[in-house]
mmCIF file of all heavy atoms in Angstrom:
data_model
loop_
_atom_site.group_PDB
_atom_site.id
_atom_site.type_symbol
_atom_site.label_atom_id
_atom_site.label_comp_id
_atom_site.label_asym_id
_atom_site.label_seq_id
_atom_site.Cartn_x
_atom_site.Cartn_y
_atom_site.Cartn_z
ATOM 1 N N ILE V 1 102.809 93.442 106.299
ATOM 2 C CA ILE V 1 101.414 93.040 106.062
ATOM 3 C C ILE V 1 100.943 93.518 104.688
ATOM 4 O O ILE V 1 100.259 92.785 103.956
ATOM 5 C CB ILE V 1 100.502 93.611 107.162
ATOM 6 C CG1 ILE V 1 100.724 92.886 108.490
ATOM 7 C CG2 ILE V 1 99.036 93.532 106.752
ATOM 8 C CD1 ILE V 1 100.216 91.465 108.513
ATOM 9 N N ALA V 2 101.305 94.752 104.323
ATOM 10 C CA ALA V 2 100.892 95.298 103.028
ATOM 11 C C ALA V 2 101.454 94.461 101.887
ATOM 12 O O ALA V 2 100.755 94.154 100.903
ATOM 13 C CB ALA V 2 101.355 96.751 102.897
ATOM 14 N N GLU V 3 102.716 94.058 102.004
ATOM 15 C CA GLU V 3 103.310 93.237 100.949
ATOM 16 C C GLU V 3 102.695 91.846 100.937
ATOM 17 O O GLU V 3 102.496 91.255 99.873
ATOM 18 C CB GLU V 3 104.821 93.165 101.158
ATOM 19 C CG GLU V 3 105.583 92.750 99.902
ATOM 20 C CD GLU V 3 106.208 91.377 100.013
ATOM 21 O OE1 GLU V 3 106.180 90.802 101.114
ATOM 22 O OE2 GLU V 3 106.705 90.856 98.994
ATOM 23 N N SER V 4 102.375 91.319 102.119
ATOM 24 C CA SER V 4 101.703 90.020 102.193
ATOM 25 C C SER V 4 100.343 90.083 101.506
ATOM 26 O O SER V 4 99.933 89.134 100.817
ATOM 27 C CB SER V 4 101.531 89.593 103.650
ATOM 28 O OG SER V 4 102.774 89.349 104.274
ATOM 29 N N ALA V 5 99.644 91.195 101.697
ATOM 30 C CA ALA V 5 98.336 91.377 101.053
ATOM 31 C C ALA V 5 98.482 91.407 99.534
ATOM 32 O O ALA V 5 97.661 90.828 98.805
ATOM 33 C CB ALA V 5 97.686 92.664 101.547
ATOM 34 N N LEU V 6 99.547 92.078 99.060
ATOM 35 C CA LEU V 6 99.786 92.126 97.620
ATOM 36 C C LEU V 6 100.056 90.721 97.075
ATOM 37 O O LEU V 6 99.491 90.319 96.047
ATOM 38 C CB LEU V 6 100.975 93.040 97.327
ATOM 39 C CG LEU V 6 101.467 93.072 95.874
ATOM 40 C CD1 LEU V 6 100.368 93.562 94.940
ATOM 41 C CD2 LEU V 6 102.717 93.958 95.747
ATOM 42 N N LYS V 7 100.903 89.958 97.751
ATOM 43 C CA LYS V 7 101.222 88.604 97.285
ATOM 44 C C LYS V 7 99.979 87.713 97.315
ATOM 45 O O LYS V 7 99.755 86.926 96.383
ATOM 46 C CB LYS V 7 102.333 88.003 98.150
ATOM 47 C CG LYS V 7 103.681 88.648 97.963
ATOM 48 C CD LYS V 7 104.790 87.879 98.658
ATOM 49 C CE LYS V 7 104.641 87.908 100.158
ATOM 50 N NZ LYS V 7 105.781 87.249 100.839
ATOM 51 N N ARG V 8 99.209 87.837 98.366
ATOM 52 C CA ARG V 8 98.003 87.011 98.475
ATOM 53 C C ARG V 8 97.013 87.376 97.369
ATOM 54 O O ARG V 8 96.364 86.495 96.787
ATOM 55 C CB ARG V 8 97.360 87.224 99.856
ATOM 56 C CG ARG V 8 96.308 86.185 100.219
ATOM 57 C CD ARG V 8 95.919 86.323 101.678
ATOM 58 N NE ARG V 8 94.996 85.290 102.097
ATOM 59 C CZ ARG V 8 95.338 84.067 102.471
ATOM 60 N NH1 ARG V 8 96.613 83.724 102.472
ATOM 61 N NH2 ARG V 8 94.425 83.181 102.839
ATOM 62 N N ARG V 9 96.927 88.652 97.079
ATOM 63 C CA ARG V 9 96.017 89.122 96.035
ATOM 64 C C ARG V 9 96.442 88.615 94.657
ATOM 65 O O ARG V 9 95.603 88.321 93.806
ATOM 66 C CB ARG V 9 96.000 90.653 96.053
ATOM 67 C CG ARG V 9 94.935 91.308 95.186
ATOM 68 C CD ARG V 9 95.020 92.806 95.323
ATOM 69 N NE ARG V 9 94.063 93.504 94.504
ATOM 70 C CZ ARG V 9 92.871 93.915 94.913
ATOM 71 N NH1 ARG V 9 92.490 93.681 96.154
ATOM 72 N NH2 ARG V 9 92.055 94.557 94.105
ATOM 73 N N GLN V 10 97.765 88.500 94.472
ATOM 74 C CA GLN V 10 98.286 88.053 93.179
ATOM 75 C C GLN V 10 98.487 86.542 93.115
ATOM 76 O O GLN V 10 98.863 86.002 92.067
ATOM 77 C CB GLN V 10 99.613 88.754 92.874
ATOM 78 C CG GLN V 10 99.552 90.270 92.904
ATOM 79 C CD GLN V 10 98.408 90.824 92.076
ATOM 80 O OE1 GLN V 10 98.168 90.371 90.949
ATOM 81 N NE2 GLN V 10 97.692 91.804 92.625
ATOM 82 N N GLY V 11 98.294 85.864 94.247
ATOM 83 C CA GLY V 11 98.414 84.412 94.266
ATOM 84 C C GLY V 11 99.837 83.906 94.141
ATOM 85 O O GLY V 11 100.085 82.857 93.523
ATOM 86 N N VAL V 12 100.808 84.659 94.723
ATOM 87 C CA VAL V 12 102.206 84.244 94.677
ATOM 88 C C VAL V 12 102.724 84.078 96.099
ATOM 89 O O VAL V 12 102.247 84.719 97.030
ATOM 90 C CB VAL V 12 103.077 85.253 93.903
ATOM 91 C CG1 VAL V 12 102.615 85.355 92.463
ATOM 92 C CG2 VAL V 12 103.052 86.626 94.570
ATOM 93 N N LYS V 13 103.746 83.234 96.260
ATOM 94 C CA LYS V 13 104.329 82.981 97.571
ATOM 95 C C LYS V 13 105.377 84.030 97.926
ATOM 96 O O LYS V 13 105.461 84.493 99.069
ATOM 97 C CB LYS V 13 104.947 81.582 97.615
ATOM 98 C CG LYS V 13 105.564 81.207 98.969
ATOM 99 C CD LYS V 13 106.134 79.803 98.926
ATOM 100 C CE LYS V 13 106.710 79.397 100.289
ATOM 101 N NZ LYS V 13 107.895 80.202 100.653
ATOM 102 N N ASP V 14 106.209 84.385 96.935
ATOM 103 C CA ASP V 14 107.276 85.358 97.141
ATOM 104 C C ASP V 14 107.248 86.382 96.020
ATOM 105 O O ASP V 14 106.725 86.118 94.922
ATOM 106 C CB ASP V 14 108.647 84.678 97.174
ATOM 107 C CG ASP V 14 108.776 83.684 98.323
ATOM 108 O OD1 ASP V 14 108.451 84.065 99.465
ATOM 109 O OD2 ASP V 14 109.186 82.534 98.071
ATOM 110 N N SER V 15 107.858 87.536 96.282
ATOM 111 C CA SER V 15 107.895 88.574 95.254
ATOM 112 C C SER V 15 108.810 88.180 94.103
ATOM 113 O O SER V 15 108.623 88.606 92.967
ATOM 114 C CB SER V 15 108.353 89.908 95.864
ATOM 115 O OG SER V 15 109.651 89.802 96.423
ATOM 116 N N SER V 16 109.840 87.378 94.395
ATOM 117 C CA SER V 16 110.719 86.797 93.379
ATOM 118 C C SER V 16 111.524 85.684 94.059
ATOM 119 O O SER V 16 111.219 85.318 95.198
ATOM 120 C CB SER V 16 111.655 87.854 92.771
ATOM 121 O OG SER V 16 112.662 88.238 93.683
ATOM 122 N N THR V 17 112.526 85.178 93.383
ATOM 123 C CA THR V 17 113.357 84.106 93.960
ATOM 124 C C THR V 17 114.822 84.530 94.029
ATOM 125 O O THR V 17 115.723 83.701 93.964
ATOM 126 C CB THR V 17 113.232 82.816 93.128
ATOM 127 O OG1 THR V 17 113.614 83.103 91.762
ATOM 128 C CG2 THR V 17 111.810 82.294 93.151
ATOM 129 N N LEU V 18 115.069 85.810 94.202
ATOM 130 C CA LEU V 18 116.434 86.324 94.165
ATOM 131 C C LEU V 18 117.258 85.927 95.382
ATOM 132 O O LEU V 18 118.467 85.742 95.282
ATOM 133 C CB LEU V 18 116.404 87.858 94.057
ATOM 134 C CG LEU V 18 115.875 88.439 92.747
ATOM 135 C CD1 LEU V 18 115.836 89.960 92.833
ATOM 136 C CD2 LEU V 18 116.741 87.988 91.576
ATOM 137 N N ILE V 19 116.626 85.800 96.564
ATOM 138 C CA ILE V 19 117.365 85.570 97.803
ATOM 139 C C ILE V 19 116.955 84.217 98.388
ATOM 140 O O ILE V 19 115.806 84.043 98.791
ATOM 141 C CB ILE V 19 117.086 86.671 98.834
ATOM 142 C CG1 ILE V 19 117.275 88.049 98.208
ATOM 143 C CG2 ILE V 19 117.981 86.513 100.050
ATOM 144 C CD1 ILE V 19 116.822 89.187 99.115
ATOM 145 N N PRO V 20 117.868 83.263 98.469
ATOM 146 C CA PRO V 20 117.528 81.945 99.043
ATOM 147 C C PRO V 20 116.991 82.062 100.471
ATOM 148 O O PRO V 20 117.592 82.711 101.322
ATOM 149 C CB PRO V 20 118.875 81.214 99.032
ATOM 150 C CG PRO V 20 119.661 81.871 97.942
ATOM 151 C CD PRO V 20 119.259 83.312 97.981
ATOM 152 N N GLY V 21 115.843 81.443 100.706
ATOM 153 C CA GLY V 21 115.249 81.447 102.036
ATOM 154 C C GLY V 21 114.435 82.673 102.347
ATOM 155 O O GLY V 21 113.720 82.716 103.364
ATOM 156 N N HIS V 22 114.520 83.693 101.508
ATOM 157 C CA HIS V 22 113.810 84.947 101.786
ATOM 158 C C HIS V 22 112.885 85.364 100.649
ATOM 159 O O HIS V 22 112.036 86.235 100.850
ATOM 160 C CB HIS V 22 114.816 86.080 102.038
ATOM 161 C CG HIS V 22 115.592 85.932 103.302
ATOM 162 N ND1 HIS V 22 115.159 86.420 104.511
ATOM 163 C CD2 HIS V 22 116.785 85.341 103.543
ATOM 164 C CE1 HIS V 22 116.065 86.142 105.449
ATOM 165 N NE2 HIS V 22 117.046 85.481 104.884
ATOM 166 N N GLY V 23 113.039 84.799 99.472
ATOM 167 C CA GLY V 23 112.223 85.219 98.340
ATOM 168 C C GLY V 23 112.900 86.344 97.584
ATOM 169 O O GLY V 23 114.023 86.214 97.115
ATOM 170 N N GLY V 24 112.211 87.469 97.481
ATOM 171 C CA GLY V 24 112.746 88.613 96.758
ATOM 172 C C GLY V 24 113.176 89.732 97.687
ATOM 173 O O GLY V 24 113.028 89.650 98.909
ATOM 174 N N LEU V 25 113.688 90.793 97.098
ATOM 175 C CA LEU V 25 114.097 91.954 97.886
ATOM 176 C C LEU V 25 112.902 92.602 98.566
ATOM 177 O O LEU V 25 112.992 93.081 99.700
ATOM 178 C CB LEU V 25 114.813 92.970 96.989
ATOM 179 C CG LEU V 25 116.186 92.559 96.463
ATOM 180 C CD1 LEU V 25 116.784 93.683 95.610
ATOM 181 C CD2 LEU V 25 117.134 92.218 97.598
ATOM 182 N N LEU V 26 111.759 92.600 97.891
ATOM 183 C CA LEU V 26 110.569 93.181 98.492
ATOM 184 C C LEU V 26 110.110 92.375 99.701
ATOM 185 O O LEU V 26 109.616 92.937 100.682
ATOM 186 C CB LEU V 26 109.445 93.273 97.455
ATOM 187 C CG LEU V 26 108.212 94.114 97.840
ATOM 188 C CD1 LEU V 26 108.613 95.546 98.190
ATOM 189 C CD2 LEU V 26 107.198 94.114 96.705
ATOM 190 N N ASP V 27 110.293 91.069 99.646
ATOM 191 C CA ASP V 27 109.978 90.227 100.800
ATOM 192 C C ASP V 27 110.870 90.574 101.986
ATOM 193 O O ASP V 27 110.439 90.520 103.142
ATOM 194 C CB ASP V 27 110.175 88.743 100.457
ATOM 195 C CG ASP V 27 109.215 88.266 99.388
ATOM 196 O OD1 ASP V 27 108.025 88.593 99.473
ATOM 197 O OD2 ASP V 27 109.676 87.571 98.459
ATOM 198 N N ARG V 28 112.132 90.903 101.697
ATOM 199 C CA ARG V 28 113.095 91.151 102.760
ATOM 200 C C ARG V 28 113.043 92.575 103.297
ATOM 201 O O ARG V 28 113.297 92.819 104.480
ATOM 202 C CB ARG V 28 114.513 90.845 102.243
ATOM 203 C CG ARG V 28 115.614 90.979 103.265
ATOM 204 C CD ARG V 28 115.535 89.963 104.367
ATOM 205 N NE ARG V 28 114.271 90.040 105.106
ATOM 206 C CZ ARG V 28 113.996 89.406 106.229
ATOM 207 N NH1 ARG V 28 114.876 88.616 106.779
ATOM 208 N NH2 ARG V 28 112.841 89.518 106.815
ATOM 209 N N PHE V 29 112.695 93.535 102.436
ATOM 210 C CA PHE V 29 112.768 94.946 102.827
ATOM 211 C C PHE V 29 111.404 95.610 102.969
ATOM 212 O O PHE V 29 111.332 96.832 103.133
ATOM 213 C CB PHE V 29 113.617 95.723 101.817
ATOM 214 C CG PHE V 29 115.061 95.317 101.811
ATOM 215 C CD1 PHE V 29 115.593 94.617 100.746
ATOM 216 C CD2 PHE V 29 115.886 95.610 102.883
ATOM 217 C CE1 PHE V 29 116.925 94.223 100.735
ATOM 218 C CE2 PHE V 29 117.214 95.227 102.893
ATOM 219 C CZ PHE V 29 117.736 94.540 101.818
ATOM 220 N N ASP V 30 110.337 94.827 102.928
ATOM 221 C CA ASP V 30 109.003 95.427 103.042
ATOM 222 C C ASP V 30 108.822 96.153 104.375
ATOM 223 O O ASP V 30 108.241 97.243 104.436
ATOM 224 C CB ASP V 30 107.902 94.382 102.838
ATOM 225 C CG ASP V 30 108.107 93.125 103.685
ATOM 226 O OD1 ASP V 30 109.029 93.097 104.526
ATOM 227 O OD2 ASP V 30 107.343 92.164 103.500
ATOM 228 N N ALA V 31 109.336 95.555 105.449
ATOM 229 C CA ALA V 31 109.205 96.193 106.762
ATOM 230 C C ALA V 31 110.027 97.473 106.842
ATOM 231 O O ALA V 31 109.594 98.471 107.433
ATOM 232 C CB ALA V 31 109.645 95.221 107.858
ATOM 233 N N LEU V 32 111.217 97.467 106.235
ATOM 234 C CA LEU V 32 112.046 98.674 106.238
ATOM 235 C C LEU V 32 111.375 99.789 105.449
ATOM 236 O O LEU V 32 111.485 100.968 105.817
ATOM 237 C CB LEU V 32 113.422 98.359 105.647
ATOM 238 C CG LEU V 32 114.450 99.491 105.685
ATOM 239 C CD1 LEU V 32 114.698 99.954 107.117
ATOM 240 C CD2 LEU V 32 115.755 99.054 105.031
ATOM 241 N N LEU V 33 110.657 99.426 104.394
ATOM 242 C CA LEU V 33 109.916 100.431 103.627
ATOM 243 C C LEU V 33 108.841 101.076 104.485
ATOM 244 O O LEU V 33 108.690 102.304 104.495
ATOM 245 C CB LEU V 33 109.286 99.781 102.388
ATOM 246 C CG LEU V 33 110.232 99.224 101.332
ATOM 247 C CD1 LEU V 33 109.444 98.523 100.239
ATOM 248 C CD2 LEU V 33 111.093 100.326 100.747
ATOM 249 N N GLY V 34 108.084 100.245 105.206
ATOM 250 C CA GLY V 34 107.048 100.783 106.090
ATOM 251 C C GLY V 34 107.627 101.673 107.169
ATOM 252 O O GLY V 34 107.101 102.756 107.460
ATOM 253 N N ALA V 35 108.747 101.242 107.753
ATOM 254 C CA ALA V 35 109.395 102.026 108.805
ATOM 255 C C ALA V 35 109.924 103.340 108.257
ATOM 256 O O ALA V 35 109.809 104.393 108.899
ATOM 257 C CB ALA V 35 110.534 101.221 109.428
ATOM 258 N N SER V 36 110.508 103.302 107.063
ATOM 259 C CA SER V 36 111.059 104.509 106.458
ATOM 260 C C SER V 36 109.966 105.518 106.140
ATOM 261 O O SER V 36 110.102 106.714 106.426
ATOM 262 C CB SER V 36 111.821 104.140 105.178
ATOM 263 O OG SER V 36 112.281 105.298 104.512
ATOM 264 N N LEU V 37 108.869 105.043 105.556
ATOM 265 C CA LEU V 37 107.764 105.947 105.226
ATOM 266 C C LEU V 37 107.188 106.591 106.479
ATOM 267 O O LEU V 37 106.915 107.804 106.513
ATOM 268 C CB LEU V 37 106.663 105.194 104.475
ATOM 269 C CG LEU V 37 106.993 104.786 103.033
ATOM 270 C CD1 LEU V 37 105.902 103.887 102.475
ATOM 271 C CD2 LEU V 37 107.152 106.024 102.148
ATOM 272 N N PHE V 38 107.023 105.805 107.527
ATOM 273 C CA PHE V 38 106.470 106.350 108.774
ATOM 274 C C PHE V 38 107.438 107.348 109.406
ATOM 275 O O PHE V 38 107.035 108.403 109.888
ATOM 276 C CB PHE V 38 106.162 105.231 109.758
ATOM 277 C CG PHE V 38 105.585 105.724 111.054
ATOM 278 C CD1 PHE V 38 104.243 106.094 111.133
ATOM 279 C CD2 PHE V 38 106.373 105.859 112.183
ATOM 280 C CE1 PHE V 38 103.714 106.579 112.322
ATOM 281 C CE2 PHE V 38 105.849 106.325 113.370
ATOM 282 C CZ PHE V 38 104.518 106.693 113.439
ATOM 283 N N MET V 39 108.736 107.018 109.400
ATOM 284 C CA MET V 39 109.710 107.919 110.002
ATOM 285 C C MET V 39 109.810 109.221 109.234
ATOM 286 O O MET V 39 109.994 110.298 109.825
ATOM 287 C CB MET V 39 111.074 107.232 110.068
ATOM 288 C CG MET V 39 112.089 107.981 110.912
ATOM 289 S SD MET V 39 111.525 108.153 112.628
ATOM 290 C CE MET V 39 112.450 109.608 113.115
ATOM 291 N N LEU V 40 109.684 109.176 107.926
ATOM 292 C CA LEU V 40 109.656 110.394 107.125
ATOM 293 C C LEU V 40 108.480 111.272 107.537
ATOM 294 O O LEU V 40 108.607 112.490 107.676
ATOM 295 C CB LEU V 40 109.545 110.046 105.644
ATOM 296 C CG LEU V 40 110.826 109.589 104.951
ATOM 297 C CD1 LEU V 40 110.500 109.048 103.571
ATOM 298 C CD2 LEU V 40 111.810 110.753 104.848
ATOM 299 N N LEU V 41 107.326 110.645 107.747
ATOM 300 C CA LEU V 41 106.135 111.388 108.164
ATOM 301 C C LEU V 41 106.339 112.008 109.537
ATOM 302 O O LEU V 41 106.057 113.194 109.757
ATOM 303 C CB LEU V 41 104.931 110.450 108.176
ATOM 304 C CG LEU V 41 103.607 111.058 108.667
ATOM 305 C CD1 LEU V 41 103.164 112.178 107.724
ATOM 306 C CD2 LEU V 41 102.530 109.985 108.766
#
C-alpha cells in the first residue's frame, strides 16, 4: 500500500519496467520490505 501511495502520488503506474508483468523491483518486493521491517521490530 505504501508503494502504491508513492506511485499514485508521482503519477506513475510502475516503479520501473525492469520485470515483465511486474514493473520494477520495488513493485515486486514492496511487501517483503514491509514484512522485513515489521519482523525486525
Side-chain angles (χ1 to χ4, degrees):
I1 288 290
E3 199 249 352
S4 294
L6 173 61
K7 291 190 294 184
R8 194 170 184 83
R9 190 179 179 95
Q10 304 310 316
V12 298
K13 181 179 182 294
D14 298 310
S15 60
S16 72
T17 57
L18 292 177
I19 310 172
H22 292 272
L25 291 181
L26 192 57
D27 296 315
R28 183 66 301 190
F29 294 109
D30 49 7
L32 185 59
L33 295 175
S36 176
L37 288 172
F38 180 78
M39 191 60 205
L40 282 170
L41 177 64

